[in-house]
Amino acid sequence: MTPDLFDALEDDALPATQPLAPGAVLLRRFARPRDEVLLAGVAQVIAQAPLRHLVTPGGFRMSVAMSNCGGLGWVSDRSGYRYDAKDPESGRPWPAMPAAFLDLAATAAQAGGFEGFAPDACLINRYEPGTRLSLHQDRDEGHYDWPIVSVSMGLPAVFLFGGGRRSDKAQRIPLAHGDVVVWGGPSRLHYHGVLPVKEGVHPLTGPCRINLTFRKAG
Ligand code: MD3
Ligand code: FE
């Protein structure tokens, strides 16, 4: 496995927060002290709402496998993208958000300058090696005054962070296990994506990357 640039540094040598753009802050390794609790939460959620490959409105099967927890879950099918209170696979409400998820999301948002963040949706994305997420905007939430908080776990990935237009040049940001990003303010509607994940095995997740995105969707 190839260690990323930051693995060469001691954790306490990492800057606590790195501004990426107006409103966007990278909190390197922020979730590490809680990684096992967070992954136990993921296991608990996906036991009730299994990861699945959604179909885009255009009819393509997404390579990233997804599930949700919280009051609302993001879903896609031939009719479009939306938030739904129920898992369409089971017809049941999505599993509750584990307390450790809510706590992490609120603490990270606070560190990024957003006091009082109480997400009602957590999307769980699982990337196997070779899997990518093409450039897109997140605009199914209806209001954009709250940030999105993302947590990377397991295999590293290169994140593409573009601008307000699809054609704007994208920065490449390596994200490693435990990295948290708070995407608020003007960055909230920027285009973004994930390059194909490289082969590897992580001690806690095995051969995959898990990303959590916390949102206020309702
Ligand atoms: C920047 N997920 O689920 S998280 C997504 O790694 C998604 O699974 C990626 O994009 C992943 O929609 C990236 C980081 C992220 C999430 C939302 C953003 C970055 C963002 C919204 C605006 C700008
Ligand atoms: Fe996104």
Side-chain angles (χ1 to χ4, degrees):
M1 206 175 64
T2 319
D4 75 58
L5 216 57
F6 287 89
D7 282 332
L9 298 171
E10 294 300 324
D11 279 359
D12 59 9
L14 293 172
T17 65
Q18 283 176 246
L20 295 175
V25 179
L26 169 53
L27 308 168
R28 290 268 179 212
R29 309 295 191 257
F30 189 86
R32 273 216 187 166
R34 320 174 190 203
D35 55 3
E36 293 191 0
V37 176
L38 292 169
L39 287 167
V42 170
Q44 192 188 310
V45 169
I46 66 178
Q48 300 167 74
L51 292 164
R52 79 291 305 262
H53 295 275
L54 297 172
V55 174
T56 66
F60 297 100
R61 173 187 187 266
M62 296 182 74
S63 65
V64 178
M66 299 179 170
S67 186
N68 292 279
C69 60
L72 291 168
W74 186 83
V75 291
S76 175
D77 61 21
R78 290 305 302 237
S79 70
Y81 307 124
R82 65 186 172 280
Y83 281 90
D84 199 317
K86 287 180 176 168
D87 178 351
E89 290 286 308
S90 66
R92 294 192 308 259
W94 295 104
M97 233 188 273
F101 283 27
L102 284 170
D103 190 66
L104 178 89
T107 316
Q110 186 173 34
F114 294 85
E115 187 73 45
F117 183 51
D120 55 12
C122 173
L123 174 64
I124 301 173
N125 291 335
R126 185 199 62 201
Y127 296 77
E128 289 178 318
T131 303
R132 62 192 282 269
L133 193 63
S134 55
L135 213 60
H136 67 279
Q137 289 174 296
D138 288 16
R139 34 168 209 204
D140 301 319
E141 291 76 22
H143 56 86
Y144 310 114
D145 36 355
W146 289 107
I148 290 179
V149 172
S150 75
V151 182
S152 293
M153 291 188 290
L155 293 180
V158 176
F159 182 75
L160 289 176
F161 181 47
R165 286 176 302 185
R166 184 178 289 279
S167 56
D168 290 341
K169 190 177 160 53
Q171 305 181 50
R172 290 172 176 229
I173 302 165
L175 291 179
H177 178 74
D179 287 350
V180 175
V181 190
V182 179
W183 311 90
S187 77
R188 173 65 184 76
L189 285 167
H190 281 202
Y191 279 88
H192 58 277
V194 179
L195 292 182
V197 170
K198 292 208 166 65
E199 292 288 343
V201 179
H202 187 276
L204 291 182
T205 64
C208 69
R209 168 173 188 261
I210 302 276
N211 184 267
L212 308 178
T213 48
F214 294 96
R215 304 140 195 270
K216 186 104 181 72

